[in-house]
Every structure is written in structure tokens, then in C-alpha cells.
């Protein structure tokens, strides 16, 4: 994939502002820590934001496996059956309108496109978090998914929280 000079400049600025560097032809990659510097967790700010939007949730009923990261501590990734991928994308995608599984999206951290249904789900901070297929290399979360490289910033509307059903014998609230 070739980038225009403007895309390369934008990607370089974004990568450097996030403590990352660019490698020729590979998109952004995490910068190595300096000698004596401890490796820190990837995508801390994005996870903080997601935690303000998403409530804690029970674990999914799928096996978890260790996921090695290019930088920082290992995380845990769900092994999602192929037949469940589209449903889980719809269920876990935190924005409105829903993202069609076949939609091509751009990962700001990686600087590459992927099909939305190629996502990964990690289990961290008591939540099931959607991340890019490139997450282990560059840390792209669902917050870093854009429609295309030429329009990397857009306003996202958070999906409304579902109301729990009324308890047995309890009347549903009246609509105003």
C-alpha cells in the first residue's frame, strides 16, 4: 500500500505523539523502551476512555488464551468461533450506528485496513474489549477504527445502554 505525502506526514505525527515510530513499509510500530525504562502497557488512554463508556461485564463463554504484545505485559484474548463473530461484533461494538461485519475499516495505529469481522476481543479491566487484528503489534482498539485513511477523525455516538427488564411483579416505568 502506498501513502501520499500528506498521509505519511499525518501518520508520522500521530505515531510520534503516541510514543511510536514508523518502519519503512510496515506502518507504525511501538518504539522500543530506552535502556533502564520499564515497558508500559499499550493503549492505556484508549482503555481508560472505553472504561468510561462501557460498564464492567461478565466474561464471555469462550476460552481465553495468552496474547503476547510487542510492548508491555501479555494480555488475554478470546478464541471466538467463526459462527459467533458477526453477532459479537454487533453486541460489543460500542457506537451507533452498528458497524457491518463486512465493512473495511482503517486502524490508525497500524496504518492499514482490515475487515471489521477480523477483530479480536481481549479481556481486561473487567470488560470484553474490541480491538484491531493488529492490536498485539500496535495497540489499536475500537476507538482507532476509522472509515478510511483520508478522514481519520470523526465524531462517534455511543450506543445507548440497554435498560434491564423489570423484575417480576414490578411495573415498567411510564414513558414521559
Amino acid at each position: 500500500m502506498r501513502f501520499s505525502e500528506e498521509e505519511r506526514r499525518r501518520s508520522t505525527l500521530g505515531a510520534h505523539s503516541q510514543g511510536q515510530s514508523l518502519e519503512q513499509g510496515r506502518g507504525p510500530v511501538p518504539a522500543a523502551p530506552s535502556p533502564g525504562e520499564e515497558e508500559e502497557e499499550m493503549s492505556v488512554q484508549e482503555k481508560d476512555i472505553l472504561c468510561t463508556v462501557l460498564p464492567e461485564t461478565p466474561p464471555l463463554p469462550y476460552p481465553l488464551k495468552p496474547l503476547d504484545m510487542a510492548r508491555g505485559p501479555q494480555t488475554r484474548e478470546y478464541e471466538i468461533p467463526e459462527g459467533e463473530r458477526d453477532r459479537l461484533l454487533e453486541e460489543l461494538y460500542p457506537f451507533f450506528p452498528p458497524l457491518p461485519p463486512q465493512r473495511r475499516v482503517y486502524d490508525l495505529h497500524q496504518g492499514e485496513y482490515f475487515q471489521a469481522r477480523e477483530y479480536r476481543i481481549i479481556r481486561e479491566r473487567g470488560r470484553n474489549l474490541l480491538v484491531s487484528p493488529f492490536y498485539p503489534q500496535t495497540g489499536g482498539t475500537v476507538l482507532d477504527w476509522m472509515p478510511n485513511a483520508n478522514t481519520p477523525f470523526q465524531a462517534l455516538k455511543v450506543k445507548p445502554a440497554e435498560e434491564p427488564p423489570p423484575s417480576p411483579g414490578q411495573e415498567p416505568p411510564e414513558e414521559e
Side-chain angles (χ1 to χ4, degrees), residues 96-130:
F96 185 82
L99 184 64
Q102 69 281 6
R103 167 88 40 88
R104 223 173 76 122
V105 292
Y106 182 76
D107 179 327
L108 286 173
H109 286 264
Q110 183 73 17
E112 290 183 34
Y113 288 92
F114 67 96
Q115 194 175 45
R117 71 177 330 274
E118 296 172 332
Y119 66 85
R120 293 174 183 250
I121 302 174
I122 60 170
R123 179 75 184 167
E124 288 190 16
R125 301 184 183 194
R127 291 163 177 84
N128 304 309
L129 302 175
L130 278 177

Side-chain angles (χ1 to χ4, degrees), residues 18 23 71-72 76 95-96 112 121-122 128 146 164-165 167 173:
Q18 297 172 15
E23 276 188 18
R71 185 180 83 219
R76 297 175 304 150
F95 306 112
F96 185 82
E112 290 183 34
I121 302 174
I122 60 170
N128 304 309
M146 298 297 147
S167 301

Side-chain angles (χ1 to χ4, degrees), residues 12-28:
T12 302
L13 288 174
H16 288 301
S17 71
Q18 297 172 15
Q20 298 174 335
S21 62
L22 291 177
E23 276 188 18
Q24 186 68 22
R26 289 203 26 211

Side-chain angles (χ1 to χ4, degrees), residues 1 3 7 10-12 14-15 18 20 22 26-30 42-43 46 69 99 103-116 118-120 130-154:
M1 169 187 283
F3 292 99
E7 288 169 326
R10 245 193 337 242
S11 182
T12 302
Q18 297 172 15
Q20 298 174 335
L22 291 177
R26 289 203 26 211
V29 295
M42 291 173 77
S43 304
E46 286 98 330
M69 303 297 290
L99 184 64
R103 167 88 40 88
R104 223 173 76 122
V105 292
Y106 182 76
D107 179 327
L108 286 173
H109 286 264
Q110 183 73 17
E112 290 183 34
Y113 288 92
F114 67 96
Q115 194 175 45
E118 296 172 332
Y119 66 85
R120 293 174 183 250
L130 278 177
V131 297
S132 146
F134 310 115
Y135 180 74
Q137 294 83 27
T138 54
T141 71
V142 68
L143 292 176
D144 303 302
W145 301 1
M146 298 297 147
N148 63 61
N150 297 322
T151 56
F153 301 105
Q154 67 180 23

Side-chain angles (χ1 to χ4, degrees), residues 10-77:
R10 245 193 337 242
S11 182
T12 302
L13 288 174
H16 288 301
S17 71
Q18 297 172 15
Q20 298 174 335
S21 62
L22 291 177
E23 276 188 18
Q24 186 68 22
R26 289 203 26 211
V29 295
S34 303
E37 181 183 11
E38 213 173 287
E39 291 188 76
E40 67 179 55
E41 179 182 352
M42 291 173 77
S43 304
V44 173
Q45 293 84 3
E46 286 98 330
K47 292 176 197 170
D48 289 345
I49 293 168
L50 287 170
C51 285
T52 64
V53 174
L54 303 172
E56 287 192 21
T57 54
L60 296 172
Y62 308 109
L64 282 163
K65 64 181 180 180
L67 181 61
D68 290 328
M69 303 297 290
R71 185 180 83 219
Q74 193 178 63
T75 191
R76 297 175 304 150
E77 173 186 17

